[in-house]
Amino acid sequence: MAPAADPDGTALLHDLARAAGAEERALAHLPPKPRRTPEEQRSLDELREEARRLRFSFVDAHAERIYAELTDGGADRPRLSALVARAAERWPGLLPSEERMAAESRCAQRDKEGLEVDQAIFVHGVLGARRAGRHLLESMRLPTRRALELLAEFSARGRVDLGPVLLERAAPAAHLTLTAPDTLNAETDALVAAMETAVDLVLLDPEVRVGVVRGGPVTPARYAGRRVFSSGINLAHLHQGRISYLDFLIGREIGLVSKVLRGLYLPPETGCWTGAHGHKPWIGAVDTFAIGGGMQLLFTMDRVIAGSDAYFSLPAAREGIVPGAGNLRLPRLAGNRLARQVILTGRRIRADEPAAHLICDEVVEPGALEGAVDIAVEQLGAPAVAANRAMLSVAEEPPDDFRRYMAEFALQQGARLYASDVLEKVSGFVGPRPDREAR
């Protein structure tokens, strides 16, 4: 909390500006990170830690006021990236500028300065504040601009090609197919953005009552021609510094995945007085494997059907990061003991072993997956299903529980992203992960 002598944080901001200025001046006189001596890096780290301590204190004490000022008292609803950009402009030193972030984005992960850690401190504070955090989570469940632009086309044609995602309507279902064949349907910033757009269209289209997610056929030799649900985060992109903290690591959880679980949010002024829209059931059809983010996504679905030759895996701990909201949801689904085995040691669950019934509802022969999905669509398309699954999501994961988890996750994931063990590991990732995973 802010000390009584500094109720509005003026003194903290003054100290932060001084510390941030000292960090930037030191950085300007240093060579690029790969060419620094250990002594130079340690000296910079000391300055950086002082600035981060002050950032944390300021946001922790004043998050509600900061958020209110950035959103016109809640009247405006920016997405996370826009909110952070506003804060960086409004309070220089609190967050890195857009120019610094743009320069950082051109570096490999191990060569970055770690400016996203400063963003993590800000996101942690906002999500940890009850009113601000709730408002931000609601805002991230608004339909994306891209989805609203494509809605008329999808309504008329029943099909939209989003690049790494193909969405096709076969009423009463809409089939969302991941189409990143070269990378085994690995998740990238582009794929996550396309998938969120597709989810919005499913939820907005009145002809659709059920969403189906499945991976398309892939091309790497080991799996050539086979469908793959998802190989999780694209580790080559992580190595190259192309996985965004805000848009992917945080935005995926509070945007895309939250919409699957909780539906869209439409404010009362839009005429939707319930505050929710398009709460629809989802089916996950798993071919070959669901790794990392692919497995996490299944935790939010109402029916999971897997081919008998498929498996599930959360290798994030071995890679050094946190598997999204998997740590929140898997213990509830599978129990604490199995969840710890999967999350902490990377235990792989085969669809044909007894433990798989805790992850999926039905296991069928690979060639029978389409028929099983059709039956599930018919069962979940009943009018009362959407309302009941909406109430299940409230009972199983109250919004404030999710908000508090995400506040801590934002901070921990930001720190892990630049931890020395993670940087060492991702430096070796130059191709798709699952060829190693499936050995």
Side-chain angles (χ1 to χ4, degrees), residues 232-435:
I233 189 171
N234 187 312
L235 293 170
H237 276 214
L238 182 58
H239 158 66
Q240 295 159 6
R242 296 167 60 191
I243 295 294
S244 164
Y245 169 78
L246 292 177
D247 294 326
F248 186 113
L249 293 173
I250 305 301
R252 176 186 179 277
E253 299 297 329
I254 65 177
L256 161 64
V257 181
S258 284
K259 289 174 177 179
V260 173
L261 182 63
R262 295 184 171 85
L264 296 175
Y265 174 78
L266 296 181
E269 57 266 26
T270 64
C272 183
W273 53 269
T274 64
H277 180 79
H279 218 307
K280 298 177 182 179
W282 289 87
I283 298 168
V286 182
D287 300 271
T288 312
F289 48 70
I291 297 174
M295 185 179 183
Q296 296 165 34
L297 190 62
L298 299 177
F299 303 158
T300 67
M301 296 193 168
D302 305 284
R303 184 72 59 84
V304 177
I305 306 168
S308 58
D309 60 347
Y311 70 85
F312 312 90
S313 174
L314 284 181
R318 294 206 313 268
E319 292 154 3
I321 57 178
V322 181
N327 301 42
L328 174 67
R329 294 170 180 146
L330 184 58
R332 183 177 70 238
L333 293 171
N336 285 324
R337 302 307 343 144
L338 182 60
R340 278 170 166 75
Q341 293 168 28
V342 171
I343 292 169
L344 302 182
T345 70
R347 174 179 168 180
R348 185 185 301 176
I349 305 295
R350 301 189 320 273
D352 62 357
E353 65 178 290
H357 81 276
L358 299 169
I359 309 298
C360 57
D361 301 278
E362 187 177 358
V363 178
V364 300
E365 291 302 311
L369 212 55
E370 286 85 355
V373 167
D374 290 341
I375 293 171
V377 167
E378 183 177 355
Q379 292 173 336
L380 294 177
V385 168
N388 278 286
R389 68 96 64 181
M391 296 310 298
L392 281 170
S393 71
V394 171
E396 292 174 346
E397 188 179 295
D400 271 343
D401 288 355
F402 176 64
R403 176 185 60 78
R404 286 188 288 266
Y405 176 90
M406 286 305 302
E408 186 63 23
F409 170 79
L411 195 63
Q412 296 297 333
Q413 193 77 308
R416 292 306 304 159
L417 195 58
Y418 292 94
S420 58
D421 61 305
V422 174
L423 296 178
E424 182 178 351
K425 289 173 183 176
V426 301
S427 297
F429 296 142
V430 294
R433 165 177 58 199
D435 279 339

Side-chain angles (χ1 to χ4, degrees), residues 10-81:
T10 300
L12 263 177
L13 273 178
H14 176 78
D15 291 344
L16 174 56
R18 173 189 50 75
E23 177 193 343
E24 289 201 33
R25 286 191 297 274
L27 189 59
H29 289 89
L30 289 173
K33 187 177 178 182
R35 300 207 303 267
R36 286 176 204 154
T37 66
E39 292 75 15
E40 289 173 330
Q41 188 62 50
R42 277 195 295 272
S43 177
L44 178 62
D45 287 344
E46 289 175 4
L47 294 172
R48 186 164 283 159
E49 284 303 307
E50 171 65 8
R52 285 178 177 162
R53 182 186 65 78
L54 293 166
R55 286 188 186 101
F56 186 95
S57 297
F58 178 68
V59 179
D60 185 57
H62 302 285
E64 297 284 15
R65 179 175 65 84
I66 291 169
Y67 189 82
E69 185 168 336
L70 295 173
T71 61
D72 190 19
D76 195 12
R77 289 187 173 273
R79 283 180 66 90
L80 179 60
S81 292

